[in-house]
Amino acid sequence: MARFALIVEAGGRAVDDEGRDLHRTLEYRATTSIARLLPTGLLLIFIGLALLVLADASDKPSSWGHYLFIALAVAVGIGVVAVALRARYRPGKPLFALSPAGIDYRIPWVKQVLIPWHEVQAVEAADIVTKLFNPMSLFASGPTLLYRTSLHPDVTVIVVSRQFYETVLHVNSFLLRGPGWNGNFIPYGETVQVALHHELVAADRQQLRQAVRSRWLAFRDQTATGQVATTVPVTGPSRARPAGVAMGDDPRTLLRFQLLQIAVLLAGIAAAGANIAGLWQLDGQGAARQARAKTLEDRRDREVARKRMQEEAKQRAAEDKRRQEENEEVLRRAFGR
């Protein structure tokens, strides 16, 4: 356990051994992690456009599934880029906040709860393994893993009783829990570990753990007032919380390798777009386009000829019917006396 000394200054405010005010509320958001998805969105757009260029350069017709995958890749990529750019300038609500009252923990789209420090039994580090559905298995023709396993090492977790988890934190609906639930709440006997993922909030793991542990040691023995925990639905009025300090990296800053990724992907997207617009071509792409154009023209000509033949057949049938009616009328007049 890291060294910790509780110091009470004049006025009764607690600080840690480095002089940090423990009464200050620290807010941790996923904004930076979302903003850093910008290269991922650009990569999806580039993959879609590159596949479209390769399909255009091929003399063999592509299936509808191929074009559906291209459309999905480009659409999802544009959506990810839009969300990432929005996150750079509009920070969302904190995923969790540390205050003297406890950990203000938000379960997205469901509820916001307060985990009082006296309900926390321990602050630990754990290696968390998650298993999520692999969407690439839907498009692979060969054997592909249906689920993908990921390891999240050295994650800060707080330990609460299973009773507290069942009463305050648990969500009955499988859909509202979402695919990442087991990576955030890990049952262990009569206790449950609640994960505070440092990667998700773009924070240093040691600094996050120290902030949690120092406040737990400072405030775990204080007397609880009112209810043990408060649950506030997201759709309802938010519980008043002191103004906090945003922790983690600035969402408007990107790492150097991410800037390089963005530059390369933008260049690739521009090149693919120029190819689709006809400003340059791959080897054999012009011949493939001409072959497809000729095939399309032949198909159009056959369709026009088929319609013309159908129309001529209708006209002949109408003419034959008219002549037959005229002949029948002549016969009735001749022998109908």
Side-chain angles (χ1 to χ4, degrees), residues 123-168:
V123 178
E124 301 173 346
D127 296 335
I128 298 177
V129 178
T130 58
K131 186 171 66 172
L132 297 176
F133 174 72
N134 183 14
M136 294 306 298
S137 62
L138 299 176
F139 303 97
S141 57
T144 306
L145 293 177
L146 185 61
Y147 291 93
R148 182 183 60 189
T149 302
S150 300
L151 172 64
H152 305 275
D154 200 21
V155 176
T156 300
V157 296
I158 60 171
V159 181
V160 299
S161 66
R162 182 177 287 270
Q163 180 182 2
F164 179 84
Y165 166 78
E166 295 289 346
T167 304
V168 178

Side-chain angles (χ1 to χ4, degrees), residues 49-272:
L49 295 180
L51 291 176
L52 184 59
V53 170
L54 294 177
D56 186 55
S58 176
D59 55 353
K60 297 179 180 179
S62 299
S63 64
W64 66 270
H66 185 80
Y67 288 106
L68 176 61
F69 180 82
I70 291 174
L72 287 175
V74 174
V76 173
I78 292 175
V80 172
V81 169
V83 172
L85 292 176
R86 181 180 182 275
R88 289 172 59 86
Y89 302 100
R90 296 187 63 180
K93 297 179 180 179
L95 284 181
F96 55 89
L98 311 179
S99 70
I103 300 178
D104 210 350
Y105 196 91
R106 185 170 65 91
I107 301 175
W109 311 109
V110 183
K111 59 184 177 181
Q112 183 175 316
V113 300
L114 176 66
I115 306 176
W117 292 116
H118 64 268
E119 289 288 349
V120 178
Q121 299 181 7
V123 178
E124 301 173 346
D127 296 335
I128 298 177
V129 178
T130 58
K131 186 171 66 172
L132 297 176
F133 174 72
N134 183 14
M136 294 306 298
S137 62
L138 299 176
F139 303 97
S141 57
T144 306
L145 293 177
L146 185 61
Y147 291 93
R148 182 183 60 189
T149 302
S150 300
L151 172 64
H152 305 275
D154 200 21
V155 176
T156 300
V157 296
I158 60 171
V159 181
V160 299
S161 66
R162 182 177 287 270
Q163 180 182 2
F164 179 84
Y165 166 78
E166 295 289 346
T167 304
V168 178
L169 294 171
H170 184 68
V171 175
N172 292 325
S173 172
F174 173 78
L175 295 177
L176 292 178
R177 286 200 300 268
W181 187 266
N182 292 333
N184 292 315
F185 303 97
I186 305 96
Y188 189 79
E190 293 301 318
T191 62
V192 175
Q193 294 177 330
V194 181
L196 305 177
H197 289 274
H198 55 274
E199 294 179 346
L200 185 59
V201 295
D204 180 81
R205 69 184 71 188
Q206 295 298 336
Q207 292 180 0
L208 172 59
R209 189 171 306 142
Q210 178 63 20
V212 175
R213 180 176 287 123
S214 60
R215 282 161 176 77
W216 173 59
L217 293 174
F219 304 116
R220 62 180 175 177
D221 295 329
Q222 65 183 4
T223 304
T225 58
Q227 295 181 343
V228 172
T230 304
T231 302
V232 180
V234 172
T235 56
S238 300
R239 176 166 18 91
R241 183 176 64 238
V245 178
M247 304 299 291
D249 297 337
D250 187 349
R252 290 172 293 183
T253 60
L254 293 172
L255 303 178
R256 185 171 300 178
F257 78 92
Q258 289 182 319
L259 293 174
L260 179 61
Q261 288 176 336
I262 291 174
V264 172
L265 289 171
L266 286 176
I269 291 173

